[in-house]
Amino acid sequence: MSNPWRRAHRRALKNGESSYIDPQTGFHVFTEIGLARRGCCCGSGCRHCPYQHESMSLADRAARGKQPSWLTADTAPAEPADVLFWSGGKDSFLALRALHREGLHPIVLLTTFYVATRIVAHQEIHIDAVIRQAEHLGLPLLGVPLHPGETYMDRIRAACKLVPGIARLVFGDLHLLHIREWRGVAFREFAADRGASLHFPVWGVPYDTLITDLEASGVTCEVSAVTEAAEGVVAVGERFDRAMMARLSGGIDPFGENGEFHTLVKVWEGAGPQGAVATTGAGPSHGTQCRGEGGSAAS
């Protein structure tokens, strides 16, 4: 569903206007053009800020920023980086551990969340918890507020302008082929434009190997959301571990890969930042990499 103010903003941009009237509130709102004419960020969290809220504090960006921006003191490295799409849950965490074992590129975390609620979709995790994860891990976090009426890929493109070089776009998909195929289609043009490849470091890794790696990390992993498919069987706040996996039945996927439940990895509990992503020990050696133009090669 398109926002009326978004259509008004686009019309104003087309006409080169500095402001428009929000049809929902009647307020005058500066356009991106009008804000750019100022020459710097005013720090007010403007709806169309073209400066990535650079004059706002990190706390204010997290609480009310409307444009993609860095939510940690660390920002993008100078050299090409792996951009890991980070949900705050176990799959993206296991993908992070796999990237550390590879040791090929610096890592940037990218998290999308609803602009109004500051909640990560499906995981039901507040962006503050994700920031806490990134700070503990010592990794830069790029926050991407999602707006009604604007496409997901438009927001991703805008966010990734803040990353000078992208080596790979990394996803924690495990085995759902339709999700991976969607990513291949949705990201193909963008990846090709940036000279990047799509990388799936934990694709096809057996669950026993994954849970062993999660145990080796020493972190606490808890259920953060439960859908109807697992109600009465899985509870929010329950620890996700081998014992929980063993008792799941009735068609519930042991890793919740069909959306039955989602998780939050409390990296700040049970392990220091280096322990959480330690590269020692046996880990998954699976995973695949696809070029942005659609060809594929084993990694």
Side-chain angles (χ1 to χ4, degrees):
M1 182 181 297
S2 178
N3 268 336
W5 61 256
R6 192 166 300 284
R7 294 195 296 269
H9 182 237
R10 287 171 179 162
R11 285 196 299 269
L13 289 178
K14 184 177 180 180
N15 296 329
E17 297 170 349
S18 295
S19 66
Y20 64 94
I21 296 177
D22 187 319
Q24 294 175 307
T25 66
F27 295 155
H28 281 269
V29 180
F30 283 111
T31 64
E32 185 175 340
I33 291 174
L35 294 169
R37 287 171 179 162
R38 288 182 171 181
C40 63
C41 175
C42 67
S44 298
C46 299
R47 179 184 288 173
H48 304 295
C49 178
Y51 304 104
Q52 297 81 47
H53 301 309
E54 63 185 11
S55 294
M56 297 178 73
S57 68
L58 293 176
D60 281 345
R61 290 181 198 173
R64 56 190 180 87
K66 299 176 181 65
Q67 294 299 322
S69 60
W70 295 107
L71 300 183
T72 53
D74 293 322
T75 59
E79 61 268 40
D82 282 337
V83 176
L84 172 58
F85 283 66
W86 180 262
S87 68
K90 56 182 171 38
D91 296 356
S92 56
F93 175 70
L94 290 167
L96 173 63
R97 284 176 59 81
L99 291 181
H100 273 273
R101 281 189 289 270
E102 294 173 1
L104 297 179
H105 307 286
I107 299 169
V108 169
L109 305 181
L110 183 152
T111 299
T112 60
F113 56 94
Y114 292 126
V115 66
T117 63
R118 325 308 281 187
I119 297 294
V120 179
H122 307 299
Q123 307 296 127
E124 297 300 319
I125 297 171
H126 195 277
I127 191 61
D128 286 348
V130 178
I131 293 170
R132 187 178 181 186
Q133 290 175 324
E135 289 176 340
H136 185 83
L137 293 167
L139 293 173
L141 173 64
L142 183 54
V144 188
L146 299 178
H147 295 259
E150 190 162 357
T151 71
Y152 175 80
M153 285 308 303
D154 281 345
R155 299 302 285 172
I156 296 301
R157 284 180 178 273
C160 286
K161 290 178 181 178
L162 302 182
V163 185
I166 300 177
R168 300 182 295 185
L169 301 169
V170 184
F171 306 94
D173 299 318
L174 301 184
H175 63 73
L176 295 182
L177 186 58
H178 69 283
I179 298 295
R180 177 166 175 163
E181 289 176 341
W182 174 83
R183 296 197 199 280
V185 173
F187 284 87
R188 181 182 295 120
E189 182 180 349
F190 171 63
D193 289 345
R194 294 300 302 265
S197 59
L198 308 187
H199 185 42
F200 302 83
V202 288
W203 180 262
V205 178
Y207 283 174
D208 186 66
T209 304
L210 292 174
I211 191 63
T212 297
D213 193 38
L214 186 61
E215 291 169 338
S217 74
V219 304
T220 300
C221 183
E222 291 184 355
V223 175
S224 60
V226 178
T227 62
E228 185 176 351
E231 282 184 351
V233 180
V234 178
V236 171
E238 180 177 356
R239 182 160 184 157
F240 174 79
D241 55 17
R242 194 181 295 270
M244 175 182 155
M245 291 175 62
R247 68 174 178 76
L248 295 181
S249 60
I252 299 176
D253 185 273
F255 255 64
E257 286 307 289
N258 296 313
E260 299 97 331
F261 60 89
H262 302 278
T263 57
L264 167 67
V265 177
K266 295 185 174 181
V267 297
W268 54 86
E269 290 186 6
Q274 297 307 313
V277 291
T279 58
T280 57
S285 58
H286 300 62
T288 57
Q289 182 168 304
C290 303
R291 294 304 306 171
E293 60 270 25
S296 63
S299 64

